[in-house]
């Protein structure tokens, strides 16, 4: 069986190490803070100007003035700080973010990432993803393995507009974990009950065993 959204968040959470500075993209990555391994405390950075972002608020905790880059209400942890976007992007472009976990529409065998628009559909812009994929020391894509119509999202070449070229290090989906290497895609792990054949059937590019 594929990992559920919560199980997927827990699996990605195991990629993070205590003390790291981490930026989480909108969508699935926002589930990660509730599923970090015991004893692992990361500092979450939001590109709209928060360092020390906490979990989603309860109904009683909601502060409409306190939002993340995805316009969702959030909490902050003790010691959190606020700053302007110029300082925030200085952190990102200066290489001070250890890990960025982002969603994706498509990823190629070369680690190209497309995650910001589908031609013909209304979009608000690329946001901070373009800077994150080049500024973060490690980029992990967290997504469902296939699109809603069943088509593969991991391909030989992306067909959607790119966010960045050769920027993704690891892909973690509901089916398993795949690394981007100079030799191509390498299967690292499968979800319980998912076979290597299942992974290959759902992937639009060759996948080698680890």
């Amino acid at each position: 069986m594929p990992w559920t959204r919560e199980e997927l968040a827990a699996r990605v959470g195991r990629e993070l190490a205590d003390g790291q500075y981490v930026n989480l993209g909108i969508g699935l990555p926002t589930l990660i803070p509730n599923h970090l391994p015991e004893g692992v405390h990361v500092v979450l950075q939001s590109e709209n100007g928060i360092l020390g972002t906490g979990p989603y608020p309860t109904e009683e905790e909601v502060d409409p003035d306190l939002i993340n880059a995805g316009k969702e209400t959030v909490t902050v942890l003790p010691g959190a700080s606020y700053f302007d976007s110029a300082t925030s992007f200085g952190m990102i472009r200066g290489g001070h973010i250890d890990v960025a976990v982002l969603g994706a529409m498509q990823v190629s065998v070369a680690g190209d990432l497309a995650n910001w628009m589908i031609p013909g559909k209304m979009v608000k812009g690329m946001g901070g993803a373009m800077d994150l994929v080049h500024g973060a020391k490690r980029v992990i894509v967290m997504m469902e393995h296939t699109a809603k119509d069943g088509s593969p999202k991991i391909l030989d070449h992306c067909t959607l507009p790119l966010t960045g070229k050769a920027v993704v290090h690891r892909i973690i989906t509901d089916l398993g974990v795949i690394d981007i290497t100079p030799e191509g895609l390498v299967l690292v792990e499968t979800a319980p009950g998912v076979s290597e054949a299942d992974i290959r059937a759902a992937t639009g590019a060759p996948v080698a065993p680890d």
Side-chain angles (χ1 to χ4, degrees):
M1 291 290 291
W3 282 315
T4 65
R5 290 164 58 94
E6 305 301 323
E7 290 168 340
L8 177 56
R11 176 59 189 84
V12 179
R14 295 202 296 274
E15 297 286 312
L16 306 179
D18 196 45
Q20 284 184 323
Y21 290 84
V22 179
N23 186 291
L24 302 178
I26 62 174
L28 283 173
T30 61
L31 300 174
I32 294 171
N34 290 335
H35 297 279
L36 290 172
E38 188 174 350
V40 172
H41 302 280
V42 299
V43 181
L44 297 180
Q45 192 254 16
S46 182
E47 64 257 35
N48 62 321
I50 307 175
L51 195 63
T53 307
Y56 285 126
T58 63
E59 197 169 324
E60 294 75 27
E61 294 173 321
V62 168
D63 180 347
D65 292 325
L66 191 56
I67 60 171
N68 63 17
K71 309 297 188 294
E72 301 169 310
T73 54
V74 294
T75 60
V76 292
L77 301 177
S81 60
Y82 307 98
F83 33 85
D84 61 20
S85 290
T87 302
S88 177
F89 279 87
M91 291 178 186
I92 294 168
R93 295 169 184 168
H96 302 292
I97 302 301
D98 295 305
V99 182
V101 183
L102 304 172
M105 298 168 186
Q106 292 178 345
V107 183
S108 79
V109 295
D112 301 338
L113 172 66
N115 80 338
W116 72 284
M117 76 168 293
I118 297 175
K121 294 195 175 182
M122 191 177 77
V123 293
K124 295 180 180 178
M126 189 178 289
M130 180 176 66
D131 295 275
L132 282 165
V133 296
H134 293 290
K137 296 171 185 173
R138 182 171 174 80
V139 175
I140 298 171
V141 162
M142 176 185 181
M143 66 178 187
E144 294 177 336
H145 206 95
T146 58
K148 290 180 180 178
D149 63 1
S151 60
K153 295 171 70 173
I154 304 173
L155 306 163
D156 276 318
H157 303 282
C158 294
T159 59
L160 296 173
L162 295 183
T163 308
K165 296 191 72 173
V167 293
V168 178
H169 298 93
R170 173 166 280 193
I171 308 166
I172 304 180
T173 76
D174 53 334
L175 299 186
V177 182
I178 295 174
D179 275 347
I180 306 286
T181 77
E183 291 74 38
L185 302 175
V186 175
L187 181 61
V188 175
E189 179 184 344
T190 62
V194 175
S195 69
E196 290 187 16
D198 293 332
I199 293 275
R200 293 193 176 93
T203 305
V207 182
D210 190 0

